[in-house]
Amino acid sequence: MADPVAYVCHGKKCSRACDHDALIRALCKQAEVRLVRCQKICHGSVVVAPLDGNLEWFERIDSPKSCVDMKHAVVARTRKKLPPRLKKRRLKKRSGSAPR
C-alpha cells in the first residue's frame, strides 16, 4: 500500500501561522507531504487529505492537538474516526476538489 498523502498550503499567510513548520514535520513522519500554493482560504494552516477516497479540506490546523489529530486522520484515511476538533475545522464546500 502506498504512503498516505497530505497537501499542505504553503502560501504566505498559512506558512506564518503558529506551528506551521511543526505541522509539516509531524506529517512528514507519517505521510508524503506535498506543499501547494495559496488556496485562498487563509484561516490558519490548511491541509488537504484523502479520506475515504475523497479529498477533504481542513483549516486552522495550527495547534499541537489539531496537528496530532490531523496526523492520525491522514494515517487512518477515513472520516469515521475524526475527532470533534477536526470535524469542526473541515471545509465541506471544498470536499472532493483538488488543491490548485
Side-chain angles (χ1 to χ4, degrees), residues 4-48:
V5 177
Y7 301 91
V8 179
C9 181
H10 201 61
K12 286 182 182 179
K13 288 185 181 179
C14 286
S15 60
R16 280 190 230 141
C18 178
D19 289 336
H20 187 76
D21 291 333
L23 168 67
I24 293 172
R25 282 194 307 273
L27 287 174
C28 280
K29 293 177 183 176
Q30 302 294 324
E32 177 185 343
V33 174
R34 296 182 186 166
L35 298 177
V36 295
R37 64 185 181 169
C38 183
Q39 299 299 303
K40 308 292 185 207
I41 305 170
C42 300
H43 297 162
S45 294
V46 175
V47 178
V48 183

Side-chain angles (χ1 to χ4, degrees), residues 9-97:
C9 181
H10 201 61
K12 286 182 182 179
K13 288 185 181 179
C14 286
S15 60
R16 280 190 230 141
C18 178
D19 289 336
H20 187 76
D21 291 333
L23 168 67
I24 293 172
R25 282 194 307 273
L27 287 174
C28 280
K29 293 177 183 176
Q30 302 294 324
E32 177 185 343
V33 174
R34 296 182 186 166
L35 298 177
V36 295
R37 64 185 181 169
C38 183
Q39 299 299 303
K40 308 292 185 207
I41 305 170
C42 300
H43 297 162
S45 294
V46 175
V47 178
V48 183
L51 304 179
D52 295 331
N54 218 8
L55 287 176
E56 297 296 339
W57 292 69
F58 300 90
E59 64 181 350
R60 294 179 301 137
I61 308 299
D62 48 13
S63 72
K65 288 181 181 181
S66 63
C67 180
V68 169
D69 290 343
M70 191 73 240
K71 184 172 70 170
H72 292 303
V74 167
V75 171
R77 300 180 190 182
T78 184
R79 280 182 284 186
K80 295 176 183 169
K81 297 180 181 179
L82 281 179
R85 187 179 298 110
L86 282 185
K87 283 182 184 178
K88 69 181 181 181
R89 288 181 165 98
R90 189 171 150 246
L91 296 167
K92 295 174 186 167
K93 289 182 179 182
R94 292 242 177 157
S95 180
S97 64

